[in-house]
Each structure stands twice: as C-alpha cells, then as structure tokens.
Amino acid sequence: MKEFIVKVEAVLSAQSDTNFVTSRQPNIEVTYGGIPGDLHFGLTRLAGSREKMYKRGTEIFNRRQLTLVSIEECEEVARKLGIPHVLPEWLGANILVSGYPEITTIPVGSRFLSSNGVGLYNEGENEPCIGPGEIIAAQYPEFEKLAPRFVKAAYKSRGIICSVEVPGNISVGEELRLILA
Amino acid sequence: MKEFIVKVEAVLSAQSDTNFVTSRQPNIEVTYGGIPGDLHFGLTRLAGSREKMYKRGTEIFNRRQLTLVSIEECEEVARKLGIPHVLPEWLGANILVSGYPEITTIPVGSRFLSSNGVGLYNEGENEPCIGPGEIIAAQYPEFEKLAPRFVKAAYKSRGIICSVEVPGNISVGEELRLILA
C-alpha cells in the first residue's frame, strides 16, 4: 500500500438547507452520513443529474457525504481561469488539504486516516458542475464566462467525494495518512 | 455508459450468526446494510484482515453488504480445481447471475438495477480467503489441498461485493441491467 501524508489546511461546512457555499470551522465532526447539520449530510439523498440511471428524485444511498479538495488543484484551476483565487468555500468543499497536488486522480477506495482514528473513503472524482462556477463568476464580475469556463478548467481537478468509514473529529492543522487503493 | 443484461439464477442468504454458508431463497429483500437477518447485514461491521489500515475490530462502515458471483466464474474455478462444482452456497454468495462471465472484473462503481427499482453498487472484488476453500474441501475429501488451491484458483474470479444503493426485492429468474462505471 502506497502511503502519503497530507495536511488539513481548512475544514468547512455548509450550515444551510439551500446554499452549498461552505465556511471555515476550527474542526468538524464526521459521522456516518457526513457532517451533521451540513447541507450534504444524510445516509441517503435524492438522485440528481450525476445518477442518470435513476429517475431524478429517487432516494439513494448517499456517497457524496463530504468533498475534499487540494490547495494545489485550487491554485491550478485559478491559474487556468486567470483569476487570483479559487477558494474551497466557493466549491462547497468540506476539507482542504495540501501535500498531494493531484488529489482528484487518487483511485476510488483510497483512504484518509487521522491519528485519532477517523477514516474517510474516496468515492471518486467530484464532477464539476455550473453551481460553483457561478459563485466564482460573482466574485470576479470583470471576467467573462467564468461559470462555464470553470466547468472545463476544473475537469479532473475539482477534488473528490468521500464517505465516512470511521466517525470522529478532524481539525485544522492536523495531518492525515493517505493510503492509495 | 455500457450496459449489459444479467439473469438472476439464485438468491441466497446466511440466516446464522456464525456460518457464512448461504441457502437458496425464492427472493431476498435488500435494504441499506444488506439483507436483514443475513450474517453480513449491517450499516457497520468490524474491521478484519482485509482492512489492515484499521486495528482489527474497529467499527467501520459496511461495504460488504452482499456478495455476487457468476455461474460462469464458479464453473471456471471448479474446472481449475478439477472438481465437478463450485456452488454459490459454499462461497457464501447472496446473488448468482449468468450472462456476464467475468463479473469479478467489472469496475468499482458499476451498478445492477432491477426493473422494480433496486440498485446495487459494486464495491469491488471479493478477495478469496480460506473459509470457502475449507467448505469446498469438505465436499470433496478425495481431493488434496483443495482449500489453499481454491484461494489461488479463485483469484480475480471469486465475484464482487456490493452495497445497496436503492432498497427493494430481488427474485430468482429476473433480469438485472448491469451498467458499467
């Protein structure tokens, strides 16, 4: 098993029923289903455009419990778009890490383990959609067509979705072992 | 998305707390966690030798809710071992299908969908272990070293583990759409 160390640069949650934009927290509690109170929390959720094999609105198991992005990929997407920053808040990310630049490319089934026992399981790439692009576009009104350009620029570098394998607490500044599948 | 049709040749469950050998049923109910009453049922389970990144006995999310094997691979393993049959019961399998011979090789994230809405999600290869080998060896005492030989022969053809994405009922004889990831 190949192992790496990544550093938790920020933990964030969306304490809203409607707005996916996240805000920084000193730490987050994760449990089966995700972060209690977060927009994406739940053991189940309703199928959307990413699960075209189900009728929209079908109740399905929730694999999109948390999203995780890397500082390096956020900077790369910003560079491609020619803007100063792409912040994890705007992507609705829950965990921002550094130390493994191309985090979106890690295999499904890879794990992030904290020293106090938390286990997160990589459920795969988070496919870019227009929502975060619109948030980014609103930050930089002087740039044209940022929303659709984001979808292209973030392809394969928009981070991953994770489910919780072992619950617990994750804090800013701690290190996680990344075990590749 | 590549699609195939497989036929459900048998559905089985292990209605025991200790014995993984399954027995045929006319139909099975699947829900989040697997088949209620089955040995492997549960939203969580205890980490074992397959999850060496966790201390043995750590409570983790249960991705091994159901196991699925193909008739074709069972026959192939029997042929390699030089024995008449490898039955799904002996492997502790919950679903036996036909129509897609190398079922163990389908990508993680592939789905099986029934016409009445059930969705099963492929969590990956079921790595062969000695237990089923010992059951097979007990069936054919005239053959030598069947248990360890099974582990080798079944490598990459021992079927897959699935989690339940949408609950419901699965019956013998019905067809499932296999959607490759």
Side-chain angles (χ1 to χ4, degrees):
Chain A
M1 293 188 299
K2 269 199 181 174
E3 274 199 42
F4 298 86
I5 296 289
V6 298
K7 188 179 169 194
V8 176
E9 299 286 350
V11 291
L12 313 92
S13 71
Q15 302 290 325
S16 157
D17 286 343
T18 51
N19 186 348
F20 67 81
V21 172
T22 48
S23 57
R24 293 180 193 231
Q25 313 289 334
N27 57 75
I28 50 173
E29 184 203 343
V30 300
T31 187
Y32 299 116
I35 304 170
D38 183 83
L39 176 64
H40 291 99
F41 179 75
L43 275 176
T44 65
R45 65 185 184 85
L46 305 183
S49 59
R50 289 183 177 93
E51 299 83 22
K52 290 192 203 311
M53 64 289 296
Y54 296 114
K55 200 177 149 196
R56 182 179 278 265
T58 302
E59 186 173 20
I60 66 173
F61 181 72
N62 181 20
R63 237 168 278 280
R64 302 181 61 78
Q65 297 175 7
L66 298 174
T67 57
L68 186 150
V69 298
S70 74
I71 280 196
E72 295 88 343
E73 285 185 334
C74 285
E75 288 174 352
E76 171 69 9
V77 174
R79 194 193 58 72
K80 281 189 190 169
L81 293 174
I83 58 177
H85 300 292
V86 167
L87 297 186
E89 286 88 334
W90 304 340
L91 304 178
N94 300 112
I95 302 178
L96 175 71
V97 298
S98 64
Y100 194 99
E102 298 188 329
I103 208 80
T104 306
T105 66
I106 66 172
V108 171
S110 297
R111 289 171 166 99
F112 296 88
L113 306 179
S114 82
S115 61
N116 66 3
V118 174
L120 304 178
Y121 186 94
N122 175 27
E123 299 279 2
E125 184 191 355
N126 194 1
E127 291 168 26
C129 68
I130 197 84
E134 286 165 352
I135 299 292
I136 294 169
Q139 306 291 326
Y140 300 109
E142 67 276 28
F143 288 81
E144 277 190 9
K145 294 184 182 168
L146 269 187
R149 286 178 57 217
F150 165 78
V151 177
K152 269 195 177 175
Y155 183 68
K156 298 279 182 205
S157 50
R158 196 246 175 277
I160 57 173
I161 57 176
C162 291
S163 62
V164 176
E165 187 156 67
V166 181
N169 207 283
I170 302 175
S171 300
V172 177
E174 74 172 299
E175 289 183 337
L176 303 177
R177 284 167 62 204
L178 165 57
I179 301 180
L180 295 190
Chain B
M1 293 190 298
K2 269 199 179 173
E3 274 200 40
F4 299 86
I5 296 290
V6 298
K7 187 178 170 195
V8 177
E9 299 286 351
V11 291
L12 312 94
S13 69
Q15 302 291 325
S16 157
D17 287 341
T18 51
N19 187 349
F20 67 82
V21 172
T22 48
S23 58
R24 294 181 194 231
Q25 313 290 332
N27 58 73
I28 50 173
E29 184 203 344
V30 300
T31 187
Y32 300 116
I35 304 169
D38 183 83
L39 175 64
H40 291 99
F41 179 73
L43 275 177
T44 64
R45 66 185 184 84
L46 304 183
S49 59
R50 289 182 176 93
E51 300 84 21
K52 290 194 204 310
M53 65 289 295
Y54 295 114
K55 200 179 149 194
R56 181 179 278 266
T58 302
E59 186 172 19
I60 65 174
F61 181 74
N62 182 19
R63 238 167 278 280
R64 303 181 60 79
Q65 297 175 7
L66 299 172
T67 58
L68 186 150
V69 299
S70 74
I71 280 196
E72 294 89 342
E73 284 185 335
C74 286
E75 287 174 352
E76 172 67 10
V77 174
R79 193 192 58 73
K80 281 188 191 169
L81 293 174
I83 58 178
H85 301 291
V86 167
L87 297 186
E89 287 88 333
W90 305 339
L91 305 178
N94 299 111
I95 302 178
L96 175 70
V97 299
S98 64
Y100 193 99
E102 298 187 331
I103 207 81
T104 306
T105 66
I106 66 172
V108 171
S110 297
R111 289 169 166 101
F112 296 88
L113 306 179
S114 83
S115 61
N116 65 2
V118 175
L120 304 178
Y121 186 94
N122 174 28
E123 299 279 3
E125 184 191 354
N126 194 1
E127 291 167 26
C129 67
I130 197 85
E134 286 165 351
I135 300 292
I136 295 169
Q139 306 291 326
Y140 300 109
E142 67 276 29
F143 288 81
E144 277 191 10
K145 295 184 183 169
L146 268 187
R149 285 178 56 217
F150 164 78
V151 176
K152 268 196 179 176
Y155 183 68
K156 298 279 180 204
S157 49
R158 196 248 176 273
I160 56 174
I161 56 176
C162 292
S163 62
V164 176
E165 187 157 67
V166 181
N169 208 284
I170 302 174
S171 298
V172 177
E174 72 173 299
E175 290 182 337
L176 303 177
R177 284 167 63 205
L178 165 57
I179 301 182
L180 295 190

